Amino acid sequence: MNLNHQYPGLPPATRTLTLSGDDPERKRQQLLDYFRQTWALYESLFDCIADERGYYTKAISLRHPLIFYYGHTATFYINKLMAARLIDSRTDSRIEAMMAIGVDEMSWDDLDEAHYDWPSLSELRAYRQQVCTRVEQFISQMPLTLPIDWDSPAWVILMGIEHERIHLETSSVLIRQLPLEWVEPQPHWPVCPTARHDRHSVPQNRLLAVAGSEITLGKTDDTYGWDNEYGSQHVRVKPFQASQMLVSNAEYYAFVSAGGYHQSRWWDEEGDNWRKFTSATMPTFWRGSIEHPDDLQLRLMCSEVPMPWDWPAEVNQLEAAAFCRWKAQQTGQQIQLPAESEWMLLREQLAGDWPDWQNAPGNINLEHWASSCPVDSFKQGEFYDLIGNVWQWSTTAISGFSGFRIHPLYDDFSTPTFDGRHALIKGGSWISTGNEVLKSARYAFRRHFFQHAGFRYVVSEHQESSKQNPYETDVMVSQYLDFQYGDGHFGVANYACTLAAIAGGLAGKRGRALDIGCATGRASFELARHFDRVVGMDYSARFIDVALQLAAGDVCRYTRCEEGDLTSCHEIRLQDFGLSPEQASRIQFMQGDACNLKAPAERYDLVLAANLIDRLRQPARFLHDISTMINPGGILMLASPYTWLEEYTPKEHWLGGQRENGEVLPTYHALQRLLLAEFSEIAPPQDVPFVIRETARKYQHTLAQLTLWRKK
């Protein structure tokens, strides 16, 4: 693929960068080139949308419209640079709040019905240009030492680049699901011209033996990686057989024509529910009637073509698994999708990795076409398409390897997918670039999700463990679960319950409440006893994920440190605290940045900000913004121990806890100065104690000062 004629000066499809080197300035230029090429490539994808409705109409009801994703990749740079405290001002706070967080649907019927006042296309294009210029300037001026590591400013830039390359692919799938009349083929996104249109001429797939071996999973190469790639896992893989080629449309048609979509016995419970809900009778991208196979068409990104029977069948994991069950019954063999470890063993037949290859050994990295191609086009060892053409579904639910650590700037990249419901895809597709093409790459989607993905099958004795992470072992999450839901200590009442009870006593009517900085959600649940609607908001996806789990009625298990390496296991459920599903249904949990709040559809009657203001980058900005979101007569509750630390808040933004013009400035006095123009103080400050348990013999006993303010 060559984009140079459309975007003059654009380098060829670049490979992801190495992190080491001996010339920082050369690496800086490489990074700048990589950023520019990625940016231009993403822009060029949206050339395929010929009707502006394609930006603002959801391609599928489960996802945002494409206007969100067009802006999202740009806001990501600003939001992460702000979070890393590498820049101190935003480009457009409204856009950066609106387009910060995407959608990972929990199920096929988990519809996002929220309505957004999206910016105009011209406004968003101007915003993207501003961000592009700003990031280029940052790259040119940032400190750079080699090798690049997690703490380097360059890592944040690489994170943004690789994030945009992910959305290059996922956005292309959404374009593929827009009405055909809203898109237009582009010469710089060429379709493979080779296909067999007679399904009987497609080469027969066959099984090849693969010797067993011990392998170690986990990233060791010198390139950017996402947090779930690091750590290690040793696996003994037993001998198995694997299909030489990906399953073609012709091979898959045998399952369809045999009534595969009309017989529950080939589908597991999740798949059968999806099949019935969607009324699926054939793969999503097939067009026509299965009774007239010669007339079938295949929907590509921007066009429909006569069915290329020798291209890989593109299906979700539920469909791929159903085919395998049918194939197993037909052959009497134990046919299934491969495990991640089995795919990795297959992948070892293909020597080398990016960026070492001179040319892509498969239909990948946009070095060939902007579509799939015949499944026998690229032989790699004894197999075809070990990488490239389409992603390959596995049976493995993603989780962390031993030694897994969360990157603090993107704590919701991996952990929300560690739920046993996100299956790994391996090998990349024709549009996979950057980190996606590496052997170490680990991407996972819900099993009903559509990507440019197909599958190969194996005959294997492997039985995948479907267990979800049984205990929450993240230290911070576990500590907050114990703080908010665990036993009391030394006679001190539960902090969240105390604050919610005070809020309930102040509420003159049942209205809307916001619990900002809600952590794992206990105060939000307690507020639902007193208010009709509650929003629980936190910056951390890890906290929100736990709150959602509890709200769904699930048991939440966590480990608690006793001493040293000794831990104890605990479990909680809402019913243990007298909280009903009806109360939980009043709560909406969401991620949000207290220093860049999105205006709500309705204002609040009460806002609780507990232990928050002394952990914000810009607490004064939060107080200014939140005041606009409270109804006249509404209540603002601020509780904080005023533990000002430069780790969280630059000293120039501390509200108090220091001297001003030589005089002592307590935080309480600063709050009066900031709030009394718009609020009346309705009670004297009061101390509210809380205790945080660290180990069986170490506790933090703290006094938060609670101040209460009524909006004028």
Side-chain angles (χ1 to χ4, degrees):
M1 178 178 180
N2 186 349
L3 297 173
N4 290 344
H5 66 284
Q6 179 73 9
Y7 293 90
L10 189 68
T14 52
R15 312 286 172 81
T16 191
L17 303 184
T18 57
L19 303 176
S20 59
D22 54 12
D23 186 343
E25 291 312 306
R26 182 169 181 268
K27 187 66 66 177
R28 186 190 305 275
Q29 186 60 51
Q30 290 175 344
L31 189 59
L32 190 58
D33 290 342
Y34 193 38
F35 167 76
R36 286 171 173 165
Q37 197 269 350
T38 303
W39 191 275
L41 189 59
Y42 195 66
E43 287 281 338
S44 78
L45 178 69
F46 288 85
D47 292 346
C48 298
I49 302 177
D51 189 310
E52 195 164 306
R53 287 176 293 178
Y55 282 93
Y56 292 95
T57 305
K58 292 181 180 181
I60 55 172
S61 58
L62 301 172
R63 309 289 288 177
H64 285 316
L66 277 156
I67 192 68
F68 169 86
Y69 299 102
Y70 184 55
H72 172 63
T73 58
T75 66
F76 186 93
Y77 284 101
I78 301 302
N79 287 330
K80 295 307 179 189
L81 288 169
M82 286 287 293
R85 295 173 61 182
L86 294 170
I87 59 175
D88 57 11
S89 64
R90 295 191 168 276
T91 301
D92 187 312
S93 59
R94 179 178 69 92
I95 290 175
E96 284 146 16
M98 178 180 292
M99 297 185 168
I101 300 168
V103 178
D104 176 33
E105 69 275 11
M106 302 295 285
S107 184
W108 52 87
D109 56 355
D110 184 22
L111 308 184
D112 173 28
E113 297 180 343
H115 297 283
Y116 300 93
D117 183 19
W118 301 113
S120 69
L121 188 54
S122 60
E123 181 183 1
L124 205 51
R125 282 175 173 152
Y127 170 80
R128 281 184 59 86
Q129 185 55 55
Q130 286 179 283
V131 172
C132 182
T133 300
R134 193 170 181 187
V135 174
E136 286 183 342
Q137 291 173 344
F138 180 84
I139 294 171
S140 299
Q141 298 170 5
M142 68 182 181
L144 180 60
T145 57
L146 299 178
I148 298 169
D149 60 23
W150 273 25
D151 298 322
S152 169
W155 192 273
V156 184
I157 298 300
L158 281 169
M159 182 181 286
I161 292 171
E162 299 296 351
H163 170 262
E164 187 156 50
R165 286 178 178 258
I166 293 172
H167 281 287
L168 174 74
E169 181 153 356
T170 56
S171 295
S172 74
V173 179
L174 291 177
I175 291 174
R176 190 176 184 180
Q177 295 175 88
L178 287 173
L180 191 60
E181 60 270 21
W182 291 0
V183 298
E184 184 176 4
Q186 297 294 325
H188 48 285
W189 292 95
V191 171
C192 175
T194 305
R196 296 177 177 93
H197 298 299
D198 176 2
R199 68 180 186 279
H200 302 294
S201 66
V202 176
Q204 292 294 307
N205 213 346
R206 64 192 184 101
L207 291 163
L208 299 179
V210 182
S213 180
E214 288 190 6
I215 62 171
T216 300
L217 306 180
K219 186 177 182 69
T220 57
D221 57 66
D222 183 32
T223 55
Y224 176 89
W226 299 106
D227 54 10
N228 67 62
E229 298 168 23
Y230 292 97
S232 63
Q233 180 177 328
H234 302 286
V235 182
R236 173 66 186 174
V237 182
K238 296 180 180 179
F240 64 98
Q241 299 177 73
S243 62
Q244 185 180 32
M245 294 178 286
L246 299 173
V247 172
S248 67
N249 286 317
E251 188 174 7
Y252 194 83
Y253 178 77
F255 168 64
V256 178
S257 64
Y261 280 78
H262 300 284
Q263 301 178 53
S264 295
R265 59 178 174 154
W266 308 129
W267 305 78
D268 64 10
E269 182 179 3
E270 181 185 1
D272 204 36
N273 288 337
W274 171 83
R275 179 183 66 86
K276 292 173 181 175
F277 182 85
T278 60
S279 300
T281 59
M282 60 183 178
T284 292
F285 298 116
W286 288 15
R287 300 287 185 266
S289 168
I290 59 172
E291 285 77 24
H292 301 93
D294 293 340
D295 297 329
L296 284 172
Q297 302 268 311
L298 181 67
R299 170 62 191 267
L300 306 181
M301 188 166 69
C302 297
S303 61
E304 288 182 3
V305 298
M307 180 61 70
W309 290 109
D310 57 348
W311 291 14
E314 295 178 73
V315 294
N316 65 28
Q317 203 261 12
L318 301 171
E319 294 170 293
F323 172 93
C324 288
R325 295 186 193 97
W326 171 81
K327 187 81 171 177
Q329 195 274 338
Q330 297 292 308
T331 62
Q333 296 176 294
Q334 198 164 331
I335 289 178
Q336 59 187 11
L337 296 174
E340 179 185 22
S341 56
E342 290 172 330
W343 181 88
M344 288 294 289
L345 191 57
L346 280 172
R347 173 62 178 74
E348 289 189 354
Q349 297 195 28
L350 182 58
D353 203 1
W354 261 269
D356 302 327
W357 285 320
Q358 192 70 25
N359 300 107
N363 186 18
I364 199 167
N365 200 43
L366 290 170
E367 293 190 28
H368 294 280
W369 302 288
S371 74
S372 298
C373 68
V375 294
D376 60 344
S377 295
F378 291 96
K379 195 169 187 181
Q380 300 159 357
E382 291 300 309
F383 291 85
Y384 293 88
D385 292 329
L386 294 175
I387 65 167
N389 219 353
V390 292
W391 289 94
Q392 300 169 47
W393 285 109
S394 78
T395 60
T396 303
I398 191 172
S399 62
F401 294 138
S402 176
F404 167 76
R405 292 187 301 124
I406 296 166
H407 195 288
L409 290 180
Y410 204 170
D411 74 340
D412 57 336
F413 182 81
S414 295
T415 51
T417 67
F418 292 175
D419 58 3
R421 300 171 185 174
H422 286 73
L424 280 159
I425 54 175
K426 306 297 290 186
S429 77
W430 54 267
I431 196 173
S432 298
T433 63
N435 168 272
E436 294 174 305
V437 306
L438 297 174
K439 179 169 62 175
S440 57
R442 303 180 82 229
Y443 293 90
F445 292 98
R446 296 201 180 270
R447 288 185 278 265
H448 63 273
F449 193 93
F450 285 102
Q451 193 69 349
H452 303 299
F455 65 104
R456 65 173 4 102
Y457 49 85
V458 298
V459 176
S460 169
E461 298 177 5
H462 177 81
Q463 292 296 315
E464 195 72 61
S465 171
S466 61
K467 67 174 183 178
Q468 301 178 23
N469 289 349
Y471 288 95
E472 176 57 70
T473 56
D474 182 287
V475 173
M476 184 64 72
V477 174
S478 294
Q479 192 174 82
Y480 264 89
L481 282 168
D482 200 59
F483 172 46
Q484 294 195 322
Y485 300 93
D487 299 331
H489 307 291
F490 310 113
V492 176
N494 182 283
Y495 185 55
C497 293
T498 298
L499 294 175
I502 293 171
L506 293 171
K509 59 178 181 178
R510 298 182 66 90
R512 280 170 50 84
L514 169 66
D515 177 16
I516 187 160
C518 67
T520 55
R522 179 64 185 275
S524 301
F525 290 120
E526 296 295 335
L527 286 170
R529 300 182 193 271
H530 307 285
F531 291 86
D532 294 320
R533 300 298 300 170
V534 177
V535 173
M537 183 182 295
D538 201 277
Y539 188 80
S540 171
R542 292 174 286 163
F543 288 154
I544 293 297
D545 193 50
V546 169
L548 287 169
Q549 183 180 337
L550 289 168
D554 294 340
V555 175
C556 186
R557 300 178 174 90
Y558 67 96
T559 55
R560 189 171 75 177
C561 179
E562 297 301 327
E563 59 177 86
D565 292 333
L566 303 179
T567 60
S568 58
C569 297
H570 302 265
E571 63 179 42
I572 52 177
R573 54 178 65 81
L574 286 187
Q575 65 190 54
D576 297 337
F577 307 98
L579 293 162
S580 68
E582 190 276 330
Q583 288 168 329
S585 70
R586 299 177 194 160
I587 307 171
Q588 178 187 9
F589 286 107
M590 64 172 64
Q591 275 183 276
D593 184 349
C595 292
N596 190 32
L597 291 168
K598 182 173 11 179
E602 298 178 62
R603 291 194 283 186
Y604 299 103
D605 299 297
L606 181 136
V607 172
L608 170 62
N611 296 11
L612 179 72
I613 60 171
D614 58 352
R615 289 297 181 267
L616 299 179
R617 300 184 305 277
Q618 298 172 298
R621 173 174 177 168
F622 161 71
L623 293 172
H624 172 269
D625 290 350
I626 202 66
S627 68
T628 67
M629 301 179 187
I630 300 175
N631 283 317
I635 303 296
L636 173 63
M637 298 178 61
L638 299 174
S640 172
Y642 307 145
T643 312
W644 297 105
L645 296 169
E646 290 188 273
E647 175 185 356
Y648 301 106
T649 312
K651 199 163 188 176
E652 63 269 22
H653 293 318
W654 290 8
L655 298 184
Q658 56 186 325
R659 292 183 180 273
E660 182 181 77
N661 299 325
E663 302 298 325
V664 172
L665 178 63
T667 304
Y668 172 57
H669 293 166
L671 290 174
Q672 290 179 310
R673 180 192 301 174
L674 287 167
L675 295 175
L676 284 176
E678 295 187 67
F679 291 85
S680 300
E681 195 172 3
I682 59 176
Q686 65 182 95
D687 287 338
V688 181
F690 62 87
V691 175
I692 296 178
R693 179 191 188 280
E694 293 186 23
T695 72
R697 291 174 176 78
K698 184 181 179 184
Y699 299 80
Q700 298 177 27
H701 184 278
T702 308
L703 294 178
Q705 185 178 75
L706 174 65
T707 58
L708 303 171
W709 313 84
R710 189 182 301 278
K711 182 77 176 289
K712 295 179 181 177

